[in-house]
Structures are given as structure tokens and as C-alpha cells.
Amino acid sequence: MKVDEKRRNVRKVVDRLVNTRIENFMPDYIAYMTGIKNNEAENFLDELTLKGAEILRINYKFICPECSKVFYFEKANDLVKFQQNNYECPICGSEIPKEDIENNTFKIYVFDKEYRERRKKKWNIN
């Protein structure tokens, strides 16, 4: 499959998801749906977050390795602050070393609210 075809397939899946209840997703879901590699899906999704496209926003989630509590970060700065410190989980109280924070942090994609509204209006008109 050529690069442009992969890019189009990713965009098609994203355009279908925007009309669902799905709030966010990870690159591995898109890779699975399109039959491409995770890193390729992530690169194509990153293109949809750039100025001018603004279809998606990148958020991050961290899963505590001890209690499995999920923490969400909307800004990269908040994630960096979290990663720079050894952190104690407020739920289970365990110390989380920096390497565990890095290994349990995942990029997630969230639809831009304005884009989602435009797509829903367009979908309802048709």
C-alpha cells in the first residue's frame, strides 16, 4: 500500500469516528482498522493535529502500574511536570519511578470540538 493510500485510509477512519460517541482513541486502534503499522498510524494522526488541519488534539494518559488508575493530561507541559518528579499515586500511595512513568504513558487523540461540530452538522444535512 502506498503512503498516500495509507494516509487516506487513516483519514477515512477518523472521519467515520467523528460521528460516533468515541471521545478519544490511541494510534493502535487506527493501525488495526487500516492494517498499517502503529508508528505509521501515529505519524498520520500527528499530521491531523497540525495548524491548519486541527482535526485532532494530542492528549496523554498515564496508567499507574500498581493500582491501574488512569490519569489524563491535556497539555504536554503537565505531562512533563509529572514525568520530572518521582510521583506518589494518590489512590494507592505507591512511589512511581520516572522510568515507570515513561513506560506507562500513552498518546491519545481527541477530536477538536469545532471540527466535530462541523462534521456532525454536515452529516445531519445529508
Side-chain angles (χ1 to χ4, degrees):
M1 193 179 324
K2 294 183 180 180
V3 173
D4 287 339
E5 186 178 350
K6 292 177 184 180
R7 184 177 282 112
R8 277 192 302 273
N9 288 342
V10 168
R11 180 62 189 262
K12 285 178 186 177
V13 171
V14 169
D15 284 342
R16 280 192 303 249
L17 290 177
V18 77
N19 292 317
T20 68
R21 292 183 180 188
I22 293 173
E23 293 290 325
N24 59 58
F25 53 89
M26 295 174 63
D28 57 341
Y29 177 74
I30 301 299
Y32 172 76
M33 294 299 293
T34 58
I36 63 176
K37 296 177 184 174
N38 280 354
N39 63 338
E40 290 178 308
E42 188 171 335
N43 290 337
F44 295 138
L45 291 169
D46 285 348
E47 291 175 5
L48 299 176
T49 67
L50 300 175
K51 294 282 185 198
E54 298 171 348
I55 293 170
L56 301 171
R57 289 182 289 114
I58 299 174
N59 290 357
Y60 302 89
K61 74 176 179 178
F62 168 76
I63 303 171
C64 176
E66 296 297 321
C67 70
S68 301
K69 171 71 176 151
V70 178
F71 299 90
Y72 290 95
F73 302 94
E74 290 185 16
K75 297 178 182 173
N77 291 344
D78 294 337
L79 175 63
V80 169
K81 288 176 191 173
F82 181 76
Q83 289 175 330
Q84 288 175 342
N85 301 319
N86 282 352
Y87 188 77
E88 184 176 294
C89 178
I91 303 301
C92 67
S94 64
E95 286 279 327
I96 306 169
K98 185 176 182 176
E99 58 274 0
D100 284 349
I101 292 173
E102 291 171 2
N103 291 333
N104 290 295
T105 301
F106 305 95
K107 190 183 278 192
I108 58 174
Y109 294 87
V110 179
F111 289 104
D112 179 77
K113 289 178 184 176
E114 290 177 16
Y115 174 75
R116 184 168 229 169
E117 290 302 315
R118 283 194 314 268
R119 292 296 296 183
K120 283 185 178 182
K121 285 179 185 175
K122 183 178 179 181
W123 190 70
N124 287 333
I125 291 171
N126 294 332

